[in-house]
């Protein structure tokens, strides 16, 4: 996964990520007592929501830091450390759920991840997920790219934001039947007066690895924030230009 987490700050300041995930969980259409795997469960907040709906839940994540928070907050839930692109389970599950995770996985690893999901589902099991779709945060990434170029660096997008057509093909190639797909804009309010700067600090780490000089890092971030203020700062609030892809598929 293309991320280094600041797990405590993520849990405190970016809680909208799991709050929006509740709508995705509503796509799971199963009896209480069914087993649901939360893939990329992070701090476990949504795993707990799934449990509150009456499901038996298992959470998988690759971040020890986030799993520590999940285990501390929800000590009676089963959380497993594993990579989404190479995991397996001893039991099969009725549904796999995932929110705001797949954009962190490189495009060439998506098929391996879908293969793992397929293998862990029972026949006709449900796969319900949402993540960043085509055009997600396009304004922010354009602003960063421009600022990188101004200081003589090139900006490499670290995320995978596919269209519905592209992702439906990947799912079908992995053996799934796609039954629901939507791509929609969701402008999202960021917390605080420094909302965009905090968002960049939290989520855009890898592209800055090519910038050796700490002063350049600071200048690039400030320049991007200043350039984006006229479009992303409205009525005293910062917004991120989120676009979501939400889908439901079945193991054929
Ligand atoms: C997202 O949830 O769409 C997202 C969050 C941070 C970085 C990239 C994408």
């Amino acid at each position: 996964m293309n991320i280094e987490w600041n797990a405590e700050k993520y849990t405190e300041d970016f809680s909208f990520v799991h709050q929006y995930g509740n709508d995705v969980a509503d796509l799971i259409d199963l009896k209480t007592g069914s087993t649901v795997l939360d893939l990329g469960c992070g701090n476990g907040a949504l795993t707990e929501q799934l449990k509150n709906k009456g499901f038996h839940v298992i959470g998988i994540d690759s971040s020890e830091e986030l799993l520590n928070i999940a285990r501390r907050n929800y000590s009676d839930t089963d959380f497993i450390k594993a990579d989404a692109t190479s995991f397996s389970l001893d039991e099969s599950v009725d549904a796999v759920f995932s929110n705001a995770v797949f954009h962190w996985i490189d495009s060439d690893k998506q098929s391996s991840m879908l293969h793992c999901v397929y293998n862990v589902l029972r026949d006709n099991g449900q796969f319900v997920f949402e993540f960043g779709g085509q055009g997600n945060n396009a304004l922010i990434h354009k602003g960063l790219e421009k600022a990188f170029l101004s200081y003589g660096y090139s900006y490499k997008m670290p995320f995978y934001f596919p269209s519905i057509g592209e992702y439906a093909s990947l799912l079908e190639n992995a053996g799934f039947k796609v039954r629901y797909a939507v791509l929609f804009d969701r402008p999202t309010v960021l917390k605080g007066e420094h909302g965009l700067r905090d968002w960049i600090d939290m989520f855009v780490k890898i592209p800055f690895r090519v910038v050796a000089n700490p002063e350049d890092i600071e200048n690039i971030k400030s320049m991007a924030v200043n350039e984006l203020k006229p479009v992303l700062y409205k009525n005293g609030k910062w917004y991120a230009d989120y676009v979501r892809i939400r889908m439901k598929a079945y193991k054929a």
Side-chain angles (χ1 to χ4, degrees), residues 32 52 70 73 91 105 143 163 190-191 199 203 232 242 248:
T32 56
N52 292 341
N73 290 344
E91 58 181 312
I105 298 174
S163 67
L190 301 175
K191 194 170 162 187
W199 188 94
F203 294 121
L232 293 179
Y242 277 80
K248 179 169 184 177

Side-chain angles (χ1 to χ4, degrees), residues 2 85 105-113 160 166 170:
N2 294 323
T85 65
I105 298 174
D106 287 335
S107 59
D108 62 352
K109 300 240 175 79
Q110 293 284 333
S111 293
S112 309
M113 184 271 290
Y160 173 65
E166 180 177 339
L170 284 187

Side-chain angles (χ1 to χ4, degrees), residues 6-236:
N6 177 345
E8 300 285 351
K9 187 162 173 62
Y10 174 72
T11 298
E12 242 171 63
D13 289 354
F14 296 90
S15 57
F16 64 80
V17 176
H18 66 75
Q19 282 157 9
Y20 280 123
N22 283 321
D23 298 346
V24 190
D26 287 343
L27 286 176
I28 301 171
D29 171 24
L30 287 169
K31 298 196 292 276
T32 56
S34 302
T35 301
V36 177
L37 168 65
D38 183 3
L39 185 56
C41 63
N43 60 23
L46 273 169
T47 326
E48 181 68 9
Q49 297 293 331
L50 292 165
K51 191 171 158 211
N52 292 341
K53 283 174 177 281
F55 299 130
H56 170 67
V57 291
I58 304 166
I60 285 187
D61 206 278
S62 59
S63 162
E64 195 63 50
E65 262 187 290
L66 285 168
L67 286 173
N68 284 341
I69 295 176
R71 291 182 181 125
R72 191 173 71 214
N73 290 344
Y74 315 110
S75 54
D76 53 352
T77 294
D78 209 2
F79 291 106
I80 300 167
K81 184 174 190 312
D83 187 318
T85 65
S86 61
F87 74 96
S88 62
L89 290 177
D90 293 337
E91 58 181 312
S92 57
V93 299
D94 301 301
V96 174
F97 165 89
S98 185
N99 181 56
V101 174
F102 299 162
H103 46 250
W104 296 105
I105 298 174
D106 287 335
S107 59
D108 62 352
K109 300 240 175 79
Q110 293 284 333
S111 293
S112 309
M113 184 271 290
L114 295 178
H115 186 70
C116 295
V117 172
Y118 190 90
N119 284 341
V120 85
L121 276 172
R122 65 149 161 89
D123 286 347
N124 215 33
Q126 302 177 17
F127 183 26
V128 162
F129 59 86
E130 180 179 302
F131 65 106
Q134 188 177 47
N136 194 34
N137 307 135
L139 291 169
I140 299 179
H141 293 298
K142 248 187 224 130
L144 282 165
E145 187 177 17
K146 198 169 159 200
F148 267 66
L149 278 175
S150 302
Y151 284 87
Y153 300 97
S154 65
Y155 181 71
K156 191 165 174 297
M157 254 285 282
F159 305 112
Y160 173 65
F161 298 138
S163 67
I164 287 179
E166 180 177 339
Y167 215 70
S169 295
L170 284 187
L171 284 162
E172 286 172 0
N173 288 339
F176 290 97
K177 287 182 296 199
V178 177
R179 282 292 175 268
Y180 174 83
V182 60
L183 183 80
F184 59 98
D185 292 328
R186 187 168 62 211
T188 300
V189 176
L190 301 175
K191 194 170 162 187
E193 195 50 35
H194 304 289
L196 180 59
R197 172 59 195 252
D198 288 347
W199 188 94
I200 292 169
D201 286 343
M202 173 62 62
F203 294 121
V204 188
K205 297 210 169 89
I206 288 173
F208 284 97
R209 286 184 187 163
V210 299
V211 186
N213 180 350
E215 217 174 285
D216 282 353
I217 294 179
E218 191 51 45
N219 289 335
I220 288 170
K221 289 182 178 178
S222 301
M223 178 184 251
V225 168
N226 289 337
E227 289 265 334
L228 289 165
K229 196 161 186 179
V231 274
L232 293 179
Y233 190 75
K234 292 167 204 153
N235 303 321

